[in-house]
Amino acid sequence: SSTRRKMSLKSERRGIHVDQSELLCKKGCGYYGNPAWQGFCSKCWREEYHKARQKQIQEDWELAERLQREEEEAYASSQSTQGAQSLTFSKFEEKKTNEKTRKVTTVKKFFTASSRAGAKKEIQEAKAPSPSIHRQASIETDRVFKEFIEFIRTYQKPGQDIYKQCKLFLDTMSHKRDLSIEEQSECAQDFYQNVADRLQTRWKVPPEKVEKAMDEVEKYIMTRQYKYVFCPETTDDEKKDLAVQKRIRALHWVTPQMLCVPVSEEIPEVSDMVVKAITDIIEMDSKRVPREKLACITKCSKHIFNAIKITKNEPASADDFLPTLIYIVLKGNPPRLQSNIQYITRFCNPSRLMTGEDGYYFTNLCCAVAFIEKLDAQSLNLSQEDFDRFMTGQTSPKKQESDSFSPDVCLGVKQMCKSLDLLSQLNERQERIVSEAKKLEKDLIDWTDGITKEVEDIVEKYPLEIKPKSQALAAIDSENVENDKLPPPLQPQVYAG
């Protein structure tokens, strides 16, 4: 019986539960995968990407050779006239263009990369940021630059090489603004790999110092590149942000009990942890360096684990963590969530996303966002009717919960719940008023249309005829010329009987 109950609970909760194996690279390398890389880790994704690119290059060479043979055969069979040459060359160009277009489209479709068409034009037409943004960026950039210079001085000759490579990379990227964001990401990932390899092979720097150096390199170059590569206008990142934000707002009614969140906010210490977790996930948007954004996710996740541990009085499991993370995201509604995830995926040092706690927590956040996008009645243990009513705002599950308070609930929480109940009632009344007003408006329009039609029908049935003006009527005796011959009028007779 207990086994059957566990199986039924698992089937009910399958919308929230995720096996740890699902977080790993689908190629089986042991690193964490990522939805943006189609389930691969950064290393395997780049291998697949390069394989596809090499395949495309090989096919392009074969195409060029085949077209050249056709050109030579056509040239040999022709009369070597100018017209024949022109015709053959135009045919060659047409085949080459069509074949190249097909290949590029196929590769881009496979990797779901955004098109570069019109990218340069859109960037040129982009509005210039306000002067205040320039000032803030300049101050922070100067500060980071000074810290970077102080850091590389401790590395002596390897530090000089690092600075030279960073300067060369920034100069190169300044000429690649018209490239797609995927290609700019590829350039950044190649740069990270090249710098790490140079430090390890050429300068024999120990691994721990290489990792520290790469963190500083990422901080420096991404502070400089942030305004160009975060949520660029050539992508649909902003559209995804608005869609996720709208979705989270529509799910504002979801309670911890629906998600089976093992966190009791009635415990003051747990409530503080929840507030800190929400603060950390919101603060992620204010950071400019991918590693610092990752640090916000990690701090948020650790607060979640602590909240679960305090509530359950035992260490939290992975199955406890993911539903709680979903609840924190729903409660906090972090700004530009998808843009931040995409920015980290594209420009973070890949080693941080493939292993370690940062990579684990980031992968869970990606899963949480994916679950929020497809959250349904079954995953919340609700009937479809209740789910639809909650989504449309017809009622709220929090209204029933506010009727019973525990003795230790503070006055502010009670007042807030009462205010929410009042707002809910006012919202229902407002909806009824709007509905009745629309019905009244429709009735007035129907009544006006009905009266108009009745009048039109009567006029059509009994048309109005205007007769000419008749002569004025004269006195009855005006034409009687023999009035004086008439007898006198009768006098009343008094009867004295």
Side-chain angles (χ1 to χ4, degrees):
S1 176
S2 62
T3 305
R4 197 181 310 114
R5 176 173 174 76
K6 287 180 181 177
M7 290 178 64
S8 65
L9 285 174
K10 185 175 181 182
S11 66
E12 287 177 355
R13 305 306 308 163
R14 71 171 185 268
I16 302 298
H17 173 76
V18 60
D19 292 327
Q20 294 304 294
S21 60
E22 297 177 20
L23 302 178
L24 299 177
C25 175
K26 66 182 183 181
K27 205 170 182 180
C29 64
Y31 294 124
Y32 292 120
N34 193 286
W37 296 323
Q38 297 185 0
F40 293 105
C41 68
S42 176
K43 181 180 177 183
C44 295
W45 168 250
R46 296 191 71 195
E47 289 176 358
E48 295 293 323
Y49 184 81
H50 284 302
K51 282 180 184 177
R53 289 184 64 179
Q54 291 299 325
K55 184 180 178 182
Q56 180 187 351
I57 292 172
Q58 182 64 30
E59 290 177 352
D60 288 344
W61 272 108
E62 293 174 358
L63 171 65
E65 291 176 355
R66 179 166 59 84
L67 292 175
Q68 186 175 2
R69 285 196 302 270
E70 292 178 4
E71 173 71 13
E72 291 172 353
E73 292 171 2
Y75 181 79
S77 62
S78 68
Q79 301 298 321
S80 301
T81 61
Q82 186 68 23
Q85 291 180 6
S86 175
L87 179 63
T88 308
F89 182 74
S90 63
K91 182 180 179 183
F92 163 78
E93 284 294 313
E94 181 181 357
K95 286 185 178 180
K96 184 176 179 182
T97 303
N98 292 339
E99 198 72 19
K100 184 178 180 182
T101 303
R102 185 179 66 82
K103 297 297 180 186
V104 171
T105 304
T106 303
V107 172
K108 287 198 172 186
K109 184 178 179 182
F110 176 76
F111 286 104
T112 62
S114 60
S115 173
R116 279 192 295 168
K120 186 173 182 179
K121 181 180 178 182
E122 290 182 13
I123 290 175
Q124 290 174 348
E125 292 176 354
K127 295 182 180 179
S130 65
S132 61
I133 296 177
H134 275 301
R135 285 195 296 271
Q136 293 171 6
S138 178
I139 293 171
E140 186 170 356
T141 303
D142 291 343
R143 178 181 60 80
V144 171
F145 176 71
K146 291 176 182 177
E147 292 176 356
F148 182 64
I149 294 298
E150 291 295 325
F151 170 78
I152 61 176
R153 282 176 180 170
T154 62
Y155 277 61
Q156 299 178 350
K157 285 189 177 180
Q160 295 176 7
D161 190 26
I162 292 173
Y163 178 73
K164 181 180 177 182
Q165 294 298 321
C166 289
K167 189 174 185 303
L168 181 62
F169 171 75
L170 292 173
D171 290 341
T172 303
M173 291 300 290
S174 65
H175 295 95
K176 293 186 176 182
R177 302 278 185 243
D178 57 336
L179 294 182
S180 70
I181 196 65
E182 284 75 20
E183 290 170 308
Q184 294 185 59
S185 170
E186 185 72 14
C187 291
Q189 299 297 329
D190 288 337
F191 171 72
Y192 289 143
Q193 186 66 46
N194 292 336
V195 172
D197 290 344
R198 286 173 72 91
L199 289 174
Q200 288 176 346
T201 58
R202 181 176 178 179
W203 300 105
K204 309 300 181 185
V205 177
E208 61 276 6
K209 293 192 71 176
V210 171
E211 184 177 353
K212 179 64 177 173
M214 293 309 300
D215 287 344
E216 293 298 324
V217 166
E218 178 190 321
K219 181 179 180 181
Y220 173 58
I221 67 169
M222 293 317 302
T223 302
R224 294 280 298 270
Q225 292 292 308
Y226 178 79
K227 63 181 179 181
Y228 302 112
V229 297
F230 181 84
C231 192
E233 294 186 1
T234 54
T235 66
D236 59 350
D237 291 352
E238 185 176 6
K239 183 179 178 181
K240 291 178 180 178
D241 287 335
L242 295 174
V244 171
Q245 190 179 60
K246 183 178 179 181
R247 173 70 174 172
I248 292 176
R249 284 177 177 172
L251 292 166
H252 67 91
W253 46 269
V254 175
T255 63
Q257 291 74 22
M258 293 177 183
L259 293 167
C260 294
V261 174
V263 168
S264 175
E265 294 185 67
E266 295 179 357
I267 304 173
E269 192 175 358
V270 173
S271 179
D272 291 342
M273 291 291 179
V274 170
V275 171
K276 289 178 180 177
I278 293 173
T279 303
D280 289 330
I281 198 70
I282 291 175
E283 189 181 3
M284 174 178 64
D285 186 59
S286 65
K287 305 299 182 182
R288 302 178 71 182
V289 183
R291 182 172 59 88
E292 293 177 356
K293 291 182 182 290
L294 273 180
C296 290
I297 298 173
T298 300
K299 286 193 296 182
C300 168
S301 301
K302 288 184 176 180
H303 286 314
I304 290 173
F305 272 108
N306 288 335
I308 297 172
K309 183 178 179 181
I310 295 171
T311 302
K312 298 179 68 176
N313 201 20
E314 63 181 23
S317 66
D319 288 341
D320 294 333
F321 171 65
L322 185 59
T324 311
L325 180 60
I326 293 173
Y327 174 66
I328 293 297
V329 173
L330 288 175
K331 197 167 183 179
N333 197 355
R336 300 191 291 185
L337 183 56
Q338 283 287 10
S339 289
N340 281 288
I341 290 176
Q342 290 293 336
Y343 176 69
I344 293 171
T345 301
R346 292 165 181 158
F347 295 102
C348 186
N349 190 343
S351 62
R352 285 198 168 272
L353 300 184
M354 292 162 59
T355 58
E357 61 179 9
D358 287 345
Y360 174 76
Y361 294 137
F362 178 70
T363 305
N364 273 276
L365 177 62
C366 294
C367 290
V369 175
F371 278 126
I372 287 171
E373 290 174 341
K374 59 182 180 182
L375 213 57
D376 56 10
Q378 185 178 12
S379 59
L380 293 173
N381 279 341
L382 294 173
S383 66
Q384 190 62 44
E385 293 76 14
D386 286 343
F387 181 82
D388 293 337
R389 285 192 299 116
F390 295 154
M391 287 295 287
T392 55
Q394 294 178 4
T395 185
S396 172
K398 296 177 181 178
K399 183 177 180 181
Q400 289 79 17
E401 294 178 6
S402 63
D403 294 339
S404 58
F405 296 104
S406 60
D408 56 343
V409 174
C410 67
L411 183 63
V413 173
K414 293 181 180 179
Q415 186 62 40
M416 181 188 68
C417 292
K418 291 179 181 178
S419 299
L420 288 173
D421 289 343
L422 181 59
L423 286 173
S424 178
Q425 295 172 15
L426 290 173
N427 185 48
E428 292 176 4
R429 288 176 58 187
Q430 178 70 12
E431 288 178 354
R432 285 200 304 270
I433 291 171
V434 171
S435 175
E436 291 174 2
K438 289 181 178 179
K439 184 176 181 299
L440 178 60
E441 182 183 16
K442 184 177 181 301
D443 291 343
L444 286 172
I445 293 173
D446 293 343
W447 179 78
T448 304
D449 292 342
I451 295 297
T452 303
K453 190 174 185 306
E454 287 181 12
V455 171
E456 290 175 351
D457 292 342
I458 292 173
V459 170
E460 185 178 355
K461 188 175 181 180
Y462 305 104
L464 182 63
E465 296 180 3
I466 301 177
K467 296 181 179 180
K469 186 177 180 181
S470 59
Q471 294 180 357
L473 296 176
I476 296 178
D477 299 332
S478 61
E479 297 179 358
N480 192 344
V481 295
E482 299 178 349
N483 284 344
D484 50 346
K485 297 180 179 180
L486 290 175
L490 297 175
Q491 296 294 326
Q493 299 291 324
V494 178
Y495 179 66

